[in-house]
């Protein structure tokens, strides 16, 4: 008896008019493919970029693909994960089984990726106790998403940083520049801004402008190896129960 094939992984990105966004998403997907040879990984965008999610699913259906794991390239469960993406997936071809994986965050691996970016920007582990960090996210009107960012900041603080403050580029307060001033007033010797975002674009640029008075600005998470690992973890969590039932 042949073993059932692994579901195709369809990574769902938001999309942006900024060409850096799609380039970063594709770089992350290339890293995922390199980590899991033999796994088919496709990318679809909700807006601005092609291919669209609907177009990817239609193409897979035309090839005879019947099992898909759709993975939101998102760090928190907010509007896109709860509403937009499920609505798009409900329009998938009727012969196709589509399971929506969980969003990437929170995860200790993502916190490790944040630290990687801070060290790449010039900090060292010896700087932690004298450095305040702004955990700068895109922002959301969803209370669950805001609470998750605040919880990550609290937990990250306990790993040795002088202090960690959440900040938001939109929809919520404080802004990045306000958090930078707060950490200065707290007496941290230096202030670093860690963007908790996956790819460049309008809101990450706003975070960067808010970081002008900081000492260090880290890069976006992008194709960090830890992000690729989380992405594959979420894929496995979505596919394995069903595959076990099939004897995979």
């Amino acid at each position: 008896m042949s073993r059932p094939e692994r579901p195709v992984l369809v990574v769902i990105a938001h999309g942006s008019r900024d060409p850096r966004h799609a380039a970063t998403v594709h770089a992350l997907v290339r890293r995922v493919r390199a980590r899991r040879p033999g796994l088919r990984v496709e990318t679809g965008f909700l807006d601005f970029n092609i291919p669209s999610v609907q177009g990817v699913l239609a193409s897979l259906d035309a090839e005879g693909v019947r099992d898909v794991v759709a993975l939101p390239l998102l760090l928190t469960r907010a509007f896109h994960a709860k509403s937009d993406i499920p609505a798009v997936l409900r329009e998938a071809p009727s012969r196709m089984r589509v399971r929506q994986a969980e969003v990437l965050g929170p995860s200790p691996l993502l916190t490790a990726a944040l630290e990687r970016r801070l060290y790449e920007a010039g900090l060292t582990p010896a700087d932690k106790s004298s450095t305040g960090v702004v955990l700068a996210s895109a922002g959301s009107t969803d209370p669950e998403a805001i609470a998750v960012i605040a919880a990550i900041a609290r937990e990250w603080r306990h790993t040795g940083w002088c202090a960690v403050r959440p900040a938001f580029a939109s929809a919520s307060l404080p802004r990045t520049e306000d958090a930078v001033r707060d950490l200065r007033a707290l007496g941290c010797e230096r202030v670093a801004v860690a963007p908790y975002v996956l790819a460049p674009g309008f809101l990450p640029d706003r975070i960067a402008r808010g970081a002008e008075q900081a000492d260090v600005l880290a890069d976006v998470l992008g194709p960090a190896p830890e992000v690729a690992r989380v992405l594959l973890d979420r894929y496995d969590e979505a596919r394995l129960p069903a595959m076990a039932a099939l004897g995979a």
Side-chain angles (χ1 to χ4, degrees):
M1 182 177 180
S2 62
R3 296 169 65 86
E5 293 186 4
R6 287 180 293 184
V8 172
L9 170 57
V10 175
V11 175
I12 301 178
H14 183 275
S16 171
R17 293 186 178 90
D18 188 324
R20 298 173 298 167
H21 175 91
T24 302
V25 170
H26 291 312
L28 173 58
V29 169
R30 286 195 296 271
R31 187 177 286 273
V32 170
R33 290 181 179 130
R35 291 189 65 91
R36 187 74 62 87
L39 172 62
R40 182 171 180 181
V41 186
E42 302 291 343
T43 307
F45 295 90
L46 290 174
D47 207 352
F48 302 116
N49 302 105
I50 55 174
S52 67
V53 178
Q54 298 95 322
V56 170
L57 294 177
S59 294
L60 291 172
D61 179 62
E63 292 179 31
V65 172
R66 295 293 173 258
D67 201 5
V68 167
V69 169
L71 194 149
L73 201 59
L74 301 168
L75 295 172
T76 58
R77 272 183 51 77
F79 181 78
H80 291 305
K82 295 177 179 179
S83 181
D84 279 0
I85 292 175
V88 170
L89 297 182
R90 283 195 293 269
E91 298 175 0
S94 59
R95 295 174 295 181
M96 180 177 286
R97 180 186 184 191
V98 181
R99 284 164 280 171
Q100 181 176 333
E102 289 295 328
V103 298
L104 301 183
S107 167
L109 286 170
L110 294 178
T111 306
L114 288 167
E115 295 209 1
R116 170 190 292 275
R117 294 304 189 220
L118 286 170
Y119 297 150
E120 290 170 350
L123 292 180
T124 71
D127 296 323
K128 291 185 76 168
S129 63
S130 57
T131 302
V133 178
V134 178
L135 178 66
S137 75
S140 174
T141 57
D142 189 304
E144 178 186 349
I146 298 303
V148 165
I149 300 300
I152 294 170
R154 287 194 301 270
E155 293 173 10
W156 201 15
R157 161 69 181 85
H158 295 310
T159 66
W161 297 101
C162 174
V164 180
R165 295 286 188 270
F168 307 94
S170 68
S172 308
L173 296 174
R175 295 286 186 257
T176 301
E177 53 268 33
D178 299 325
V180 170
R181 284 193 292 268
D182 180 39
L183 291 170
R184 293 274 188 221
L186 192 63
C188 297
E189 184 176 317
R190 68 183 63 78
V191 176
V193 174
Y196 190 58
V197 293
L198 287 166
F202 176 75
L203 293 178
D205 283 350
R206 181 179 289 178
I207 290 172
R209 290 193 297 272
E212 288 177 353
Q213 299 304 312
D215 301 293
V216 174
L217 171 62
D219 199 359
V220 298
L221 295 174
E226 296 87 354
V227 178
R229 286 177 58 192
V230 175
L231 201 153
L232 286 168
D233 286 347
R234 297 292 182 255
Y235 168 79
D236 289 336
E237 290 163 5
R239 79 173 181 98
L240 286 176
M243 298 300 287
L246 291 171

